[in-house]
Amino acid sequence: MRVLWLTLVLVFGLVGAPAWAAGGASSGEEADSEAILSAPGIDEPALGDPVSGAVLSDRTNRLARILRCPVCQALSVADSNSDTARAMYVRIEGFVAEGYTDEQIVDYFVDTYGEWVRLDPKAEGANLVLWLLPVGVLVVGALLIGASSRREDEVPPAAPPVAADDPLRARVLAELGEDS
Amino acid sequence: MNWKILGGGAAIMLPLVAVLAGGFGKDPRGSSTAMEGQKAPGFSLISIDGDPLALGELAGSPVVINFWATWCQPCLAEHPVLLEGSKRYRSRGVSFLGLLYDDDADTARRWIAKHGAAFPTLLDPGNHTAIDYGVVGVPETFFIDAGGQIFRKHTGPLTFEAMVDALEGMLGDVP
């Protein structure tokens, strides 16, 4: 049973961590808004409304927390101080301000950097294993623990009654100094 | 030995090992070819000598864009390849452009004065154009065909063979 528990803890720790770690990302940093000559960005009209103020800041930070900094090891854009991450932050902020939706912005980065840019792997294809395996492990573990508990609760069958004239019984009683 | 536990553990671990082996077996940043086949993002930038240049000005001709930096040692290693390529393929209408990544004009000018140049180097403050191209690090080289599509993205220092392979493949596609 200890082996099973160790396996469950190991597997859940290894598989669950990368899939769900992004939820704990810290808040983003302010990025400089250095302007430069034109770069095209998203090649389609914005589907949302332009935003500013707190909404702009909140949405930018939320998007920066789910996108990976391309020059870092497992850090979000919001968590990195690298120049590239700051530039990505400014890019995100600009898109949000212009009225692009979250989906349009994430799609833009996926188009340029590939699926890898998502800190949360999309739950499709081979990535499904990462999402379903922890659940599967929990279900299988619960079933095994349940089955094991039922076996422990079962009362063992009673021993057959010993005949009064059984020689072995008589000998045991004699050695104990008891009368039959 | 408890074969049930062993079998259960194996059933749990094998898919995990397969996924991790697949993930650890490749460099996701290095192998990203997301931009290949896409329309090359346009840009309008200023060269380290102060001259404006837009990608649109080169429309209709193949372009090689090399993202580089003076602090990047592999960029120094590939520099002679790019110089040779720009000279050799000029007659076939191929334009070469350098885009400076995380660097400044003064340092780049000194670097070029020392190592030579055969094509313009553009400034990309904020790395905005690099982000539009999905650049992860330098050097990265993009081969853009005459139709404006990214034919190939090369990550890491460019070898002469890789450059010729990409250019010949790309120019072969031109009708």
Side-chain angles (χ1 to χ4, degrees):
Chain A
M1 187 53 76
R2 267 183 302 180
V3 173
L4 179 65
W5 275 113
L6 189 62
T7 305
L8 286 173
V9 169
L10 250 176
V11 169
F12 192 70
L14 282 171
V15 174
W20 289 321
S26 63
S27 64
E29 72 261 7
E30 287 299 319
D32 62 352
S33 55
E34 190 176 18
I36 185 57
L37 298 179
S38 69
I42 301 174
D43 195 19
E44 62 183 22
L47 297 177
D49 297 322
V51 295
S52 60
V55 177
L56 171 61
S57 174
D58 289 347
R59 276 189 57 204
T60 303
N61 285 331
R62 195 172 68 240
L63 286 164
R65 282 196 294 272
I66 64 170
L67 293 170
R68 187 188 301 271
C69 159
V71 297
C72 313
Q73 293 293 332
L75 276 183
S76 73
V77 169
D79 289 329
S80 169
N81 285 319
S82 72
D83 288 342
T84 301
R86 284 212 298 273
M88 283 177 76
Y89 188 94
V90 172
R91 212 88 178 100
I92 295 166
E93 191 174 42
F95 291 146
V96 173
E98 288 172 42
Y100 286 101
T101 64
D102 292 359
E103 189 181 358
Q104 283 182 299
I105 296 168
V106 171
D107 285 348
Y108 159 79
F109 283 104
V110 169
D111 283 347
T112 50
Y113 285 97
E115 279 292 326
W116 168 85
V117 81
R118 294 179 198 266
L119 270 176
D120 271 348
K122 207 172 182 181
E124 63 181 27
N127 289 345
L128 270 177
V129 176
L130 290 174
W131 293 91
L132 297 181
L133 196 57
V135 178
V137 166
L138 282 180
V139 170
V140 171
L143 290 174
L144 287 174
I145 291 167
S148 174
S149 300
R150 270 200 304 277
R151 275 199 302 274
E152 286 169 6
D153 292 342
E154 284 173 6
V155 179
V162 179
D165 57 349
D166 184 81
L168 183 59
R169 179 174 183 270
R171 185 177 162 192
V172 169
L173 290 176
E175 286 181 3
L176 290 172
E178 293 180 13
D179 293 333
S180 58
Chain B
M1 183 174 293
N2 191 327
W3 290 102
K4 281 184 182 173
I5 290 179
L6 190 65
I12 290 166
M13 294 301 292
L14 283 179
L16 177 64
V17 169
V19 169
L20 294 180
F24 289 137
K26 62 184 179 185
D27 176 1
R29 290 180 294 181
S31 62
S32 172
T33 53
M35 292 297 287
E36 286 182 1
Q38 291 196 42
K39 188 175 182 301
F43 53 77
S44 178
L45 299 170
I46 294 173
S47 78
I48 57 172
D49 299 318
D51 303 318
L53 196 151
L55 184 62
E57 294 172 25
L58 304 173
S61 62
V63 181
V64 177
I65 297 178
N66 174 247
F67 287 86
W68 71 282
T70 59
W71 44 262
C72 154
Q73 282 304 308
C75 300
L76 177 60
E78 71 171 6
H79 189 59
V81 174
L82 291 163
L83 292 181
E84 178 64 25
S86 67
K87 289 171 189 165
R88 189 174 288 203
Y89 283 90
R90 187 175 297 149
S91 61
R92 295 174 70 179
V94 181
S95 300
F96 279 63
L97 292 176
L99 258 80
L100 209 54
Y101 181 88
D102 261 354
D103 216 330
D104 63 88
D106 287 342
T107 315
R109 273 193 293 269
R110 284 196 298 274
W111 193 95
I112 284 172
K114 184 176 178 184
H115 300 290
F119 49 87
T121 288
L122 307 176
L123 298 169
D124 182 23
N127 299 326
H128 287 182
T129 307
I131 289 171
D132 281 341
Y133 277 79
V135 170
V136 170
V138 284
E140 284 189 14
T141 307
F142 293 79
F143 296 86
I144 300 167
D145 66 23
Q149 276 200 329
I150 296 173
F151 174 78
R152 188 170 299 173
K153 170 188 174 181
H154 183 91
T155 303
L158 191 64
T159 61
F160 190 77
E161 291 74 22
M163 179 184 67
V164 169
D165 182 64
L167 282 170
E168 292 300 332
M170 182 169 77
L171 296 172
D173 283 349
V174 177

